[in-house]
Amino acid sequence: MENRFRARFCVLILLACSIYSGLTLVGAQNRRPKNVQVAVRVKWSGTPLLLEAGELLSKESKNLFWEFIDDWLLHVAKTDGDSHSAKDCVKKIVKHGSFLLSEPLAPLFEYSLSLRSASPRLVLYRQLAEESLSSFPLPDDSYSNNERGLDANETADIKKFDPLLVGVNPKSPDGKCCWVDTGGALFFDVADLLLWLQRPNELGDASQQPETYDFDHIHFDSNIMSPVAILYGALGTDCFRGFHVTLTQAAKEGKVNYVVRPVLPSGCEAEVGLCGAVGARDSLNLGGYGVELALKNMEYKAMDDSAIKKGVTLEDPRTEDLNQEVRGFIFSKILERKSDLTSGIMAFRDYLLSSTISDTLDVWELKDLGHQTAQRIVQASDPLQSMQEINQNFPSVVSSLSRMKLNDSIKDEIIANQKMIPPGKSLMALNGALINIEDIDLYLLIDLVHQELSLADQFSKLKIPHSTVRKLLLTVTPPELNTFRVDFRSAHVHYLNNLEEDAMYRRWRNNINEILVPVFPGQPHYIRKNLYHAVYVLDPATVCGLQSIDMITSFYENTFPMRFGVILYSAQFIKKIEMSGGELHSSALEHDSEIENDKSSLIIQLFIYIKENHGPQTAFQFLSNVNRLRIESAESTDEAVEMHHIEGAFVETDLSKAKSSPQEILLKLKKEQTFKEMSQESSLSVFKLGVGTLQCCLLMNGLVFDSSEEALINAMSDELPRIQEQVYYGHINSRTDVLEKFLSENGISRYNPQILADGKVKRRFVSLASSILGGDSVLNEINYLHSPETVDDVKAVTHLLAVDVTSKKGIKLLREGIHYLIGGTQGARVGVLFSASQTADLPSLLLTKTFEITAASYSHKKKVLDFLDQLCSFYEHKYILRSTTAAESNQEFVDKVYELAEANELFSKAYKFLLPEASDLKLREHLNKVSQFLYRQLGIPSGVNAIITNGRVTPLGASVFLSDDLHLLESVEFRHRINHIVEIIEEVNWQDVDPDMLTSKYISDVIMFVSSSMDTRDRSTESARFEILNAEYSAVVVNNENSSIHIDAVVDPLSPSGQKLSSLLRVLAKYAHPSMRIVLNPLSSLGDLPLKNYYRYVVPTMDDFSSTDYTVNGPKAFFANMPLSKTLTMNLDVPEPWLVEPVIAIHDLDNIFLENLGDTRTLQAVFELEALVLTGHCAEKDHGPPRGLQLILGTKNTPHLVDTIVMANLGYWQMKVHPGVWYLQLAPGRSSELYFFRDGVDDGSQEKSLSKRIAINDLRGNVVHLEVVKKKGKEHEKLLISSDVDNQSKDKRGHSSWNSKIFEWASSFIGGRDHSKKSDDCLKGHSKGGRHGKTINIFSIASGHLYERFLKIMILSVLKNTHRPVKFWFIKNYLSPPFKDVIPHMAREYGFDYELITYRWPTWLHKQTEKQRIIWAYKILFLDVIFPLSLEKVIFVDADQVVRADMGELYDMDIKGRPLAYTPFCDNNKEMDGYRFWRQGFWRDHLQGKPYHISALYVVDLVKFRETAAGDHLRVFYETLSKDPNSLANLDQDLPNYAQHRVPIFSLPQEWLWCESWCGNATKSRAKTIDLCNNPMTKEPKLQGARRIVHEWTDLDFEARKFTAKILGDEMDNPEALASSKKSVNDSSSEDMESKAEL
């Protein structure tokens, strides 16, 4: 029965097809659905895929790069006989690369290659190659004459020279495709290189050696101490083979440090073979972005009526997917059965497609739409594909979804889940770690998956069972909590008060539970209990210290509920201790004249004396007196304390209470030894606590803060909830000593900012597992030292000490490591990695050998640590601190070893046997091997002492590192990183490991390797409990126990994030084969369609590589069968760091109306990656962001290519870059005069950091965190000077100061300089008496062909009404290619300047999704940073405005010191009163009588705007308001009007802006500008209104369109009709319609 029904149904369908085919054959051809195709290409020329493969492999392991080269050279002939196409070549490259990788990593390697993610790295090498060639100009003019070394073809390709494109491919120098750069010379022939290799050290100075970078490929046999030889060339060329063989051999012999930088110079493509050149000849199309075609709201019919321009569009060769369901039909199956009716069936399909578009549904149809979508997805055979098809083609499938019968189980489960997670919320986690869905893109996701698969591969090679590997990968490192408290309790703390005992607090209640009572914000709880201990650690002779004392006294006198105390120290005394290596030699200090005259020590002595004799209040009063006298006698408040201030303060303080005269007491105290010792002990206690390096600091119950008043209040606010929680749960009661409780639970004996990273210092981790798996590793040779009687225990923490045995600091670190073990640690062991300088003497080498023997043979002995400590002490005093003659010293050292060994009950037999046998050469070779390991694997340069704790690298700076620091390091790392790993490893059931190998050392090694690798992952520490959500009916579950990747996700399939995620999840499913648990979470109740767009996420496939020739087409977004009668607007969803712009687009991408395409089937658009955005945050040490700080970015040869200023908002800044090596500097002038960059920890060496090197070598951009410090003596100078003050100082000095000096260097900002055009004609016009006077700067923004048409009219109207020079500034983000082609010609013809500017929306600022609102936002949010710093004033003019007056009048107008000037809305068109929302409700109350202004025209005083931080204030208001969807309906207008109480607006005279919607006709004749405002009452189309309202508009339009047609070579649209239209308008205007309107 069913079969008969199906047969009849098919007959009906075929009948319908044939009838439809016959009736509508012609019509169907004309109305066939159209396609849209979009591509994004890069600006640089293509890069060879073969070289990209090498870069991808080097990311996995540095050695794989060299293995790939050797494998390719050995097995692949240059003939490429078996590769007949690009696809064949790619398969061959993938095959050779995958052979070197483990099985799970191979598919990802193939996908990354098709994604072209390594191309930017090769562009960076091109920059370095070009710099190499330009440093040695060749005699042949062919290279040197061409500034960038480009050949003619490539020069033609780059239409506009972009100075930021630093990685342009160099031209083959003199026909050579490879060369070797040694710093002193370039070698183009192997023969010349061989001559140099005979005596490499003799030719050229060592300082001339080329610089190497972290990303360089350094041959694994190279000696880092040897001369550097860099090979520039491409794998596959004969010259590369010759140079590579020669240099590899030289590296093995220790002659050179061999580096390869892969470059295929332009012109060498034929030399590299067919497969070697694949990708190099084609433009490079990118994947990894989304394209949206949104159904556009045409309420105001803002669409250009010009005819669609004709142009060449290439039809896409791909065929449509006929397997996709259309209204219940699968047409591929119908065509299989009835191929003879193909044309009719396809016509019927096209009809169905064009008739199913829905952008509205009735309320009852929307009710269960989300649940119906979830049901369709989970019931599909391929749920991920189904989700992608639904949400990326939603307007076409929504009607069929809404008719689907709903299963109640699915609905019930979704509703139940939504009790635990908000409806519509989307989340995603990769192996337990949450991913930010807003920021995720394909490149980032592939990198995250790659690092997980890499770790899994490493762990499996360590023979860890797969189940444990999965458990480890799913472990999320807990977020770091800064709850370590410095245990400062000692006799050296001097308290000013005691809330529990002092009489002044007796009236307060002592009920601890009152802390739970709510109080007004900012008001403290007044409870008679010492809850907050604010102990300041300070040097009383410093300005900072004395200011802190005054602050403490002020709080105390105002009975602030806090216990205050101080620990005093002398910075001079601590400096002496540090210079002595942390040891106090009393004999040396007694006769030190500096210590004798130390003001700080004297103040401490006097303070202690007064406190003991007269109480703490008097002692604190003495310190206040010192500060008062200092301020009274000083010219400025920053001057240092003098001895007479101290003596005077003491006399004042002690006068009334002393039995003998204060002068006598003072003299006696200066000689008194007891108080001097107490002073020194106080300083020593501060040194041991480690807080002396912070200068002034606050310890709030042991937590470390800055010493400012703001920090004190914040510290109290931070501590309050912790105390409240403890009181609530009964852990603190009225009898609890709060300080004792906190410090005993979380107290540490020493603070070290290098270890306790405060978020400003980024900790560095290295994987020790990858180095051990690389083969012969020095880690295999280490024998560890342990605390007594713990040798056989498993050690969770491993400290590797990198010690330069020839340096005093190195031996000091070694001794502290031994003291750390002697002091006792149950959970840690110590290994030593010795290195030495080339000039190390024999005793230094023998010390390393002695350590090796001792650790290998005697580590279990009781006194082994004492022996090593005594030996190090002897070595330090005998060989480091003084020099002895070589012959005596060698034997003396050996004898001392024997003597100390016997004294410590170690058998000297082993030493007597092995030490004399030790070969000087072998010991040096071993030390050299260790140096290589430290530098290559751990990034520790020669001569640097460091500690590697389970992979965390802590290099030692100028500050002293003590054994207590090692205890702190152990405690911090175990708590935060290692503990959870130990718990997993302890449960492992080791199956593939020999039981004899399962020693405590083996397990300790595994813990070390695993924990070091885990923290090299760059991922979030946040997680979510996905398991609490039900996943029986409404989830997509894919189980794969063999996979190392697990995806947890909660997805709203009908959301913009769902559109992107569906594609990303499909990519993961195909290439990573993960286990997945995707819970669908659609909105349960919808008021409107959730998606009104089509969407494609562009992912590359192997089909992008031609199977017929050697071309690479690259991925494209393809929209098949788009609706004809709907207006669509195109938006790109690109990764955050990308700046893209359209470069090929004949049609209006803002208003795509496919019915107008005519015979063309596919609309084509090509975008270009204009630049990557380098972003960052800048902080000033102990202050807020340095607002207005100027940064410049450039290369070595051109230091200033881009500039910017730092915002107050998070210290944010951004600049445009391309792949390459960049140098970031503080700009000349006030920025570099006041500041320098601070690198890492404050160790006294900061001023050396005047620039930061930044490598851009991928498509993910870079986020740079900067910290700046003011230079000595400049601490209180302001960066920004008010223009009023500036003008006064200018008058006094007779020349300009900083605010005008910055214009000397501030020549351009992001995106500006390369598109700034000033034509010759324009310059000639000046000299002929044309345009003259001060330039008027006008800023505008347009999107879509209609508004670009308006923009040209606005430009003409401005120019025709002024004789002054005009410069236009256009935001380039949305300008079409035709407009950008026309505007340079227009500028030349009409004599104006222009500049295209852009700014990438900051990630931290709330994003707008609708294009129109983004455009509005660009009008107001970035005015302080989007223009060059040299621009002082600009006028914004709407694109649809016609100017009737000289804009110079407005430009010169005095706006009374306000940053902004707007025109208020007119109120004389009474018909519109009902629409004047600002006269009622919220707006009336908020404005408080101020006018509401229109945003179509406004003036910006940029100097005042930047000075007053107006941009920062506007962004803060925007961030607060924009999260409410009902706020900022007219964003560009509402925001400045709302903020005018903070950012004042000058109201311009009414005549400066007239628009018909709001202004009566009576004032039109006085209008200086006319704006074509939308009329909410009539909704009149724009063009119709323009022709009716502005009589000159048609003339201007005709002129602009005629000029555009001439430039683009187009025909005018019916010029006769236009002329007659023009004539009729002129006739009617002769009657002076505007005069009539006034009557």
Side-chain angles (χ1 to χ4, degrees), residues 535-542 544-550 552 565-571 600 604 620 623 682-683 686 691 695-698 707:
V535 174
Y536 285 81
V537 183
L538 51 89
D539 182 337
T542 61
C544 162
L546 291 172
Q547 285 174 344
S548 297
I549 292 293
D550 277 359
I552 291 170
V566 293
I567 306 175
L568 304 176
Y569 72 92
S570 161
S600 304
I604 298 169
F620 276 85
L623 295 178
S682 183
S683 295
V686 171
V691 289
Q695 297 174 339
C696 295
C697 75
L698 160 66
S707 62

Side-chain angles (χ1 to χ4, degrees), residues 1025-1096:
R1025 294 183 59 206
F1026 290 92
E1027 68 277 4
I1028 66 172
L1029 299 175
N1030 301 314
E1032 189 176 349
Y1033 301 107
S1034 61
V1036 178
V1037 180
V1038 179
N1039 291 313
N1040 184 357
E1041 288 300 319
N1042 296 321
S1043 176
S1044 305
I1045 304 294
H1046 177 73
I1047 301 293
D1048 274 309
V1050 177
V1051 179
D1052 175 4
L1054 300 183
S1055 67
S1057 58
Q1059 289 179 315
K1060 181 163 74 172
L1061 281 179
S1062 59
S1063 294
L1064 293 176
L1065 290 170
R1066 286 196 72 194
V1067 170
L1068 285 185
K1070 184 175 180 182
Y1071 291 97
H1073 310 294
S1075 55
M1076 291 188 189
R1077 187 174 184 269
I1078 301 161
V1079 178
L1080 299 178
N1081 183 35
L1083 285 167
S1084 293
S1085 56
L1086 293 165
D1088 193 6
L1089 282 186
L1091 295 171
K1092 293 185 178 181
N1093 67 355
Y1094 294 88
Y1095 185 88
R1096 298 290 181 270

